[in-house]
């Protein structure tokens, strides 16, 4: 029975993104077009080089272009028309590779259509992008092997899949040890009632299948990932009276998280780290997540989990890691974040602090979900 329901959801989503939506302005809410944090100049240039038709068919709730990408192998879950793939293909360079997989055949066709255009624009001798028609919870059926990618990304797509744990399990399987799932998605403030979970339009608009935000950490732990690292969060405004009545008191947020796959031998002690500024586009500072910003040359004391991630991932080359016993400089240049201060709730991140206005789409009023005073 569950598989029959899943198949129906897949069909509805394929029709919505393959036939009903022709461009991002056809969407009924801003769930799939929320803004992201400011990006570095080299990422902006990469995005400008993406073909106009590919960019117009982009539906995403954040920017899933992480840092430290040179020569990486990246898999994009739900790659759509290929916007993120083509931007990333320029950033990983000819020695890297980007694979996009999407269940909507029409979207894959659009992406493949502009392969030669982008490779010629980048000056690459051979294509470093591949597009596959398939399901993101069934990567094995698409021929994607174990431990083949440095990074897996996903942009506002996991919410469209009924079995989210299987998506995470497959992402974990195909990642190398030290690899990262860097993804944006839509989350709910509570467990969604059946009326929302079975609403076809809300599914297509990335709301009906949204995960209760606290469940992400539970699923990640079951699969084997380290606890989620919250990067950014934006409140979602519905601005559709009919849909607002159905949603009721539930609020939604788009959030970007990092999930790392570390070996069992990876744990390390709390220590001090110094960023050396060697990551392209982030030479002065690296905004790792909502809790840690590493400035070039500054000594930062980090917890055991953060130390393990920096030491055993692709970020190891960008940091000097030393025991915490060493004294910090007496005149500044040293900081730390206690575990009790760690930000994990995307709703609190989106609602708190004065920088919320800078993350809110133009013209959108304050308040949770654009209509409520509080969640």
């Amino acid at each position: 029975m569950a598989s029959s329901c899943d198949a129906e959801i897949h069909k509805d989503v394929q029709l919505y993104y393959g036939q009903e939506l022709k461009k991002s302005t056809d969407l009924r809410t801003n769930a799939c077009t929320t803004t992201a944090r400011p990006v570095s100049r080299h990422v902006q240039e990469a995005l400008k080089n993406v073909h106009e038709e590919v960019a117009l068919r982009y539906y995403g709730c954040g920017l899933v272009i992480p840092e430290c990408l040179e020569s990486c192998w990246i898999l994009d879950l739900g790659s759509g028309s290929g916007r993120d793939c083509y931007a990333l293909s320029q950033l990983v360079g000819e020695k890297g590779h980007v694979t996009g997989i999407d269940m909507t055949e029409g979207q894959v066709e659009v992406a493949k259509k502009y392969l030669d255009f982008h490779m010629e624009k980048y000056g690459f001798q051979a294509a470093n992008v591949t597009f596959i028609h398939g399901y993101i919870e069934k990567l094995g059926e698409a021929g994607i092997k174990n431990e083949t990618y440095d990074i897996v990304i996903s942009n506002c797509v996991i919410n469209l899949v009924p079995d989210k744990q299987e998506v995470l399990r497959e992402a974990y399987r195909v990642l190398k040890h030290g690899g990262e799932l860097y993804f944006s998605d839509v989350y709910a403030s509570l467990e969604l009632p059946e009326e929302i979970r079975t609403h076809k339009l809300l599914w297509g608009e990335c709301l009906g299948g949204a995960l209760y935000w606290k469940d992400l950490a539970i699923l990640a732990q079951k699969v084997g990932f380290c606890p989620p690292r919250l990067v950014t969060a934006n409140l979602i405004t519905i601005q559709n009276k009919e849909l607002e009545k159905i949603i009721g008191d539930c609020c939604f947020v788009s959030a970007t998280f990092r999930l790392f796959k570390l070996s069992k031998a990876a744990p390390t002690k709390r220590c001090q780290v110094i960023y050396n500024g060697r990551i392209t586009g982030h030479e002065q500072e690296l905004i790792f997540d909502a809790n840690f910003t590493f400035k070039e040359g500054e000594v930062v004391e980090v917890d055991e989990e953060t130390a393990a991630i920096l030491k055993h991932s692709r970020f190891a080359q960008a940091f000097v890691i030393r025991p915490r016993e060493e004294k910090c400089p007496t005149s500044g240049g040293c900081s730390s974040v206690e575990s009790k201060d760690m930000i994990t709730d995307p709703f609190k991140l989106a609602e708190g602090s004065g920088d919320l206005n800078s993350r809110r789409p133009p013209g959108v009023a304050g308040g949770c979900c654009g209509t409520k005073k509080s969640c």
Side-chain angles (χ1 to χ4, degrees):
M1 188 71 179
S3 60
S4 174
C5 181
D6 290 358
E8 185 177 344
I9 290 173
H10 280 144
K11 182 179 178 181
D12 290 341
V13 171
Q14 286 173 322
L15 288 173
Y16 197 66
Y17 284 86
Q19 296 181 22
E20 290 194 38
L21 298 181
K22 301 301 180 184
K23 52 188 181 300
S24 58
T25 52
D26 294 333
L27 291 161
R28 310 285 183 87
T29 72
N30 79 329
C32 297
T33 56
T34 51
T35 56
R37 66 181 180 181
V39 297
S40 59
R41 184 174 299 178
H42 81 298
V43 172
Q44 292 178 19
E45 291 303 317
L47 290 170
K48 287 179 183 178
N49 286 331
V50 176
H51 192 279
E52 183 181 12
E53 183 181 355
V54 172
L56 283 173
R57 293 177 69 97
Y58 160 76
Y59 316 111
C61 63
L63 184 66
V64 288
I65 299 182
E67 316 82 9
C68 200
L69 299 174
E70 287 87 347
S71 301
C72 284
W73 277 59
I74 301 177
L75 173 64
D76 184 356
L77 304 179
S79 52
S81 60
R83 190 202 76 156
D84 292 339
C85 285
Y86 282 125
L88 286 163
S89 72
Q90 183 176 0
L91 297 172
V92 300
E94 289 189 89
K95 292 183 179 180
H97 192 275
V98 181
T99 302
I101 181 169
D102 199 277
M103 70 175 180
T104 306
E105 198 165 4
Q107 290 279 69
V108 175
E109 289 174 358
V110 171
K112 288 181 176 180
K113 179 180 175 182
Y114 295 102
L115 185 59
D116 291 340
F117 168 86
H118 290 97
M119 295 306 103
E120 182 178 342
K121 193 175 189 65
Y122 302 159
F124 292 172
Q125 296 299 310
N128 69 343
V129 185
T130 304
F131 292 103
I132 302 172
H133 178 228
Y135 296 93
I136 66 174
E137 70 272 44
K138 299 177 181 178
L139 300 179
E141 292 183 8
I144 299 176
K145 300 179 180 179
N146 295 352
E147 300 180 12
T148 49
Y149 290 93
D150 302 290
I151 306 167
V152 174
I153 67 166
S154 177
N155 199 333
C156 199
V157 172
I158 296 177
N159 64 81
L160 298 173
V161 180
D163 193 344
K164 293 165 178 58
Q165 183 170 323
E166 192 59 29
V167 176
L168 295 182
R169 183 179 290 114
E170 279 291 87
Y172 187 89
R173 178 182 66 81
V174 304
L175 277 170
K176 301 174 185 177
H177 287 284
E180 174 187 16
L181 170 58
Y182 186 91
F183 67 112
S184 63
D185 211 58
V186 176
Y187 298 90
S189 59
L190 46 79
E191 294 281 359
L192 295 180
E194 185 177 1
E195 184 180 12
I196 297 178
R197 288 188 288 106
T198 57
H199 196 284
K200 289 185 178 182
L201 178 58
L202 289 176
W203 260 96
E205 291 284 326
C206 305
L207 301 176
L211 188 70
Y212 174 41
W213 75 270
K214 290 185 178 180
D215 287 343
L216 175 62
I218 298 172
L219 295 181
Q221 183 178 12
K222 285 182 179 179
V223 169
F225 281 112
C226 294
R229 314 286 300 216
L230 176 61
V231 182
T232 62
N234 299 275
L235 291 174
I236 289 173
T237 56
I238 307 304
Q239 297 180 303
N240 182 306
K241 296 297 183 183
E242 181 182 347
L243 296 181
E244 285 173 0
K245 290 180 182 178
I246 298 171
I247 289 169
D249 292 331
C250 183
C251 295
F252 295 91
V253 67
S254 65
T256 299
F257 283 95
R258 322 183 80 124
L259 292 177
F260 285 89
K261 175 182 178 178
L262 301 185
S263 66
K264 304 220 183 272
T268 188
K269 295 181 180 180
R270 188 180 186 93
C271 63
Q272 295 170 2
V273 301
I274 306 171
Y275 176 50
N276 59 27
R278 293 178 185 171
I279 297 178
T280 303
H282 305 271
E283 290 82 2
Q284 301 301 314
E285 69 174 20
L286 171 65
I287 303 175
F288 190 72
D289 58 21
N291 296 288
F292 286 99
T293 294
F294 301 105
K295 297 184 183 297
E296 192 271 330
E298 181 181 74
V299 180
V300 180
E301 188 173 301
V302 298
D303 58 279
E304 295 88 342
E305 180 190 304
T306 303
I309 289 172
L310 297 180
K311 185 176 181 179
H312 298 282
S313 71
R314 70 185 188 281
F315 291 97
Q317 63 181 330
F319 285 87
V320 173
I321 301 175
R322 67 189 193 188
R324 67 177 298 202
E325 287 76 20
E326 295 186 26
K327 298 292 184 180
C328 287
T330 55
S331 57
C334 184
S335 62
S336 66
V337 173
E338 297 296 335
S339 46
K340 63 181 175 61
D341 296 323
M342 295 285 274
I343 302 170
T344 59
D345 184 343
F347 286 92
K348 286 186 178 179
L349 179 62
E351 293 178 319
S353 76
D355 65 353
L356 173 59
N357 290 327
S358 65
R359 294 197 299 269
R360 184 178 295 132
V364 175
C368 186
C369 306
T371 59
K372 309 287 192 302
K373 295 295 182 182
S374 62
C375 288

